[in-house]
Amino acid sequence: MDVRTICLGILTRADATGYEIKKRVEEGGYRPFVEASFGAIYPALNKLTKDRFVSVRAEAQEKRPDRKIYSITEAGRRAFVASLMKPLTEDRHRSPFAFAMLFADLLPEQHIAQMLDAYIAHTEQALAQLQQADAKPKSQREHFANGMSQAAYAATLEYLRSHRLNGETRTAEAAE
Amino acid sequence: MDVRTICLGILTRADATGYEIKKRVEEGGYRPFVEASFGAIYPALNKLTKDRFVSVRAEAQEKRPDRKIYSITEAGRRAFVASLMKPLTEDRHRSPFAFAMLFADLLPEQHIAQMLDAYIAHTEQALAQLQQADAKPKSQREHFANGMSQAAYAATLEYLRSHRLNGETRTAEAAE
DNA sequence: GTCGATCTATATCGGGCCAATATAGACTGC
DNA sequence: GCAGTCTATATTGGCCCGATATAGATCGAC
């Protein structure tokens, strides 16, 4: 799922500037499955323009750089659908936290507890955001995708809460 | 969590060649939190050698290129622990599947059903592999990390099975 | 028994992407 | 009135993936 495809997908819903695309990736129903940085979006839009998959119109602004508003073309729509029809690449999950947990024996116990608390807090926050986003009326598709993420986050949280790998719990479990 | 750090972590457990590091990332208790390609591992090991964080000894082999066996140095151990003590970067989840689901309206219904089936099958397989890996005796840390992944996968599966976004279910849900 | 496939093992390259940085005016809160 | 954040574009360095190349070993199938 390269950034060009992500841009095309977002533009199938509405025209947007590069900046708006970035915002939609972060806030829309796309979180947390996709990400894209400015350093990827702007070159992607240039390439898409060259390939005639999007068109640009510049909106002049006083004392500011022009807003470049991108629209998807018919060729772009076809290319987008074609790329979704190709076998999808696998999901990727990367967790520096889980990796660090594997080396808990090399770290101070107190620091482990801190990392765990921070991770739990962060996951709670992400889940709350998803629930909040889901409260607004949405398309069935967005609800489906959002629910899938919520399910995974909720299960992770429950697991962490009941299996806290800190001093007290370790002692308690050993005593069972 | 860059590839240099991943290499250092694996080398804290045992000496290894670049090839063996790759295998351990794929098969060990590291799946599915981390990944690294050869194109990242070999340059990472060169840089680590230059920085004196690992040392190499070449094992000559007849009619084959030398096996280059890497060992972590004391400086390497210190650098590794230091990098785990720094605030960790956030987890990243990327799902081309979930992204594609958001554009279900642009795709043939039959193709959606296929993608869903493939995704479910794939997730089942990943979960089975984790369960199998967990059956062997492991350290408590590895068990903890493995369990966290299992929880997330299992919840995702359950969600997908009960919310299948295909024709029949959609009709059935609409009738409720 | 021999032929294709898979495994061990190294390495490079193009292209894609992230994080940081630069620029610059407008708006918001204190 | 000024600090911080927001809109908006863009570039750069460096990291990383996927594909590709090389090459002998081993192993199962037929």
Side-chain angles (χ1 to χ4, degrees):
Chain A
M1 205 88 305
D2 57 28
V3 176
R4 279 199 296 282
T5 307
I6 293 168
C7 290
L8 283 180
I10 288 174
L11 291 174
T12 61
R13 302 301 181 205
D15 293 356
T17 66
Y19 184 80
E20 285 166 345
I21 288 173
K22 167 94 177 164
K23 270 204 323 191
R24 286 184 203 163
V25 167
E26 283 166 359
E27 298 163 15
Y30 303 99
R31 260 190 80 256
F33 322 118
V34 285
E35 287 173 84
S37 66
F38 285 127
I41 290 171
Y42 287 114
L45 288 171
N46 287 336
K47 182 115 200 292
L48 288 170
T49 307
K50 229 179 281 171
D51 292 346
R52 307 272 172 191
F53 291 156
V54 303
S55 62
V56 205
R57 75 196 119 98
E59 201 173 81
Q61 294 192 118
E62 278 169 39
K63 296 188 178 180
R64 277 206 188 187
D66 291 356
R67 273 165 56 89
K68 292 187 189 170
I69 300 164
Y70 293 89
S71 311
I72 192 166
T73 62
E74 264 317 303
R77 269 174 210 279
R78 267 181 274 123
F80 178 62
V81 171
S83 76
L84 291 188
M85 296 289 284
K86 284 194 297 189
L88 300 170
T89 56
E90 278 180 38
D91 285 17
R92 295 169 71 165
H93 303 250
R94 299 234 187 163
S95 179
F97 165 74
F99 181 74
M101 282 295 129
L102 292 175
F103 298 94
D105 54 320
L106 303 179
L107 302 172
E109 195 140 324
Q110 194 204 336
H111 191 252
I112 309 276
Q114 262 175 40
M115 288 199 301
L116 234 161
D117 289 339
Y119 189 74
I120 288 176
H122 193 273
T123 309
E124 277 168 351
Q125 201 187 319
L127 181 58
Q129 268 178 38
L130 283 175
Q131 285 165 343
Q132 208 181 331
D134 210 23
K136 294 180 219 159
K138 290 202 163 198
S139 73
Q140 195 195 29
R141 296 163 257 117
E142 282 182 67
H143 179 70
F144 175 73
N146 181 299
M148 188 162 60
S149 291
Q150 282 193 36
Y153 279 137
T156 303
L157 265 180
E158 200 187 343
Y159 181 87
L160 289 175
R161 286 185 184 132
S162 59
H163 290 79
R164 281 180 59 89
L165 190 71
N166 61 21
E168 302 125 78
T169 315
R170 241 188 325 227
T171 316
E173 279 173 0
E176 278 171 26
Chain B
M1 206 86 308
D2 57 29
V3 175
R4 279 200 295 282
T5 307
I6 293 167
C7 288
L8 284 180
I10 288 175
L11 291 173
T12 62
R13 301 302 182 206
D15 293 356
T17 65
Y19 184 81
E20 285 167 346
I21 288 173
K22 167 93 178 166
K23 270 204 324 192
R24 284 182 204 163
V25 167
E26 284 167 359
E27 297 163 13
Y30 304 99
R31 262 190 76 253
F33 323 118
V34 285
E35 287 173 83
S37 66
F38 285 126
I41 290 171
Y42 286 114
L45 287 171
N46 286 337
K47 182 116 200 291
L48 288 170
T49 306
K50 229 179 281 172
D51 292 346
R52 307 271 173 191
F53 290 157
V54 304
S55 62
V56 204
R57 74 195 120 96
E59 202 171 80
Q61 294 192 118
E62 279 169 37
K63 297 189 178 178
R64 276 205 191 189
D66 291 358
R67 270 165 58 90
K68 292 189 190 169
I69 301 163
Y70 293 89
S71 310
I72 192 166
T73 63
E74 264 317 302
R77 269 174 210 279
R78 267 180 273 122
F80 178 62
V81 171
S83 75
L84 291 187
M85 296 290 284
K86 283 194 297 189
L88 300 170
T89 56
E90 278 181 37
D91 285 17
R92 296 170 73 163
H93 303 251
R94 301 234 186 162
S95 179
F97 166 74
F99 181 74
M101 282 295 129
L102 293 174
F103 299 95
D105 54 321
L106 304 180
L107 302 172
E109 194 139 326
Q110 195 205 336
H111 191 253
I112 309 276
Q114 259 174 40
M115 287 198 302
L116 234 162
D117 289 338
Y119 189 74
I120 288 176
H122 194 274
T123 309
E124 277 169 350
Q125 201 187 319
L127 181 58
Q129 267 179 38
L130 284 174
Q131 285 166 343
Q132 208 181 332
D134 210 24
K136 294 180 219 158
K138 290 203 164 197
S139 74
Q140 195 195 30
R141 297 163 255 117
E142 282 182 67
H143 180 70
F144 174 74
N146 181 299
M148 188 163 59
S149 291
Q150 282 193 37
Y153 278 137
T156 302
L157 266 180
E158 200 185 344
Y159 181 87
L160 288 175
R161 286 185 184 132
S162 59
H163 291 78
R164 283 180 58 89
L165 190 71
N166 61 22
E168 301 125 77
T169 316
R170 238 186 332 227
T171 316
E173 278 172 1
E176 277 171 24

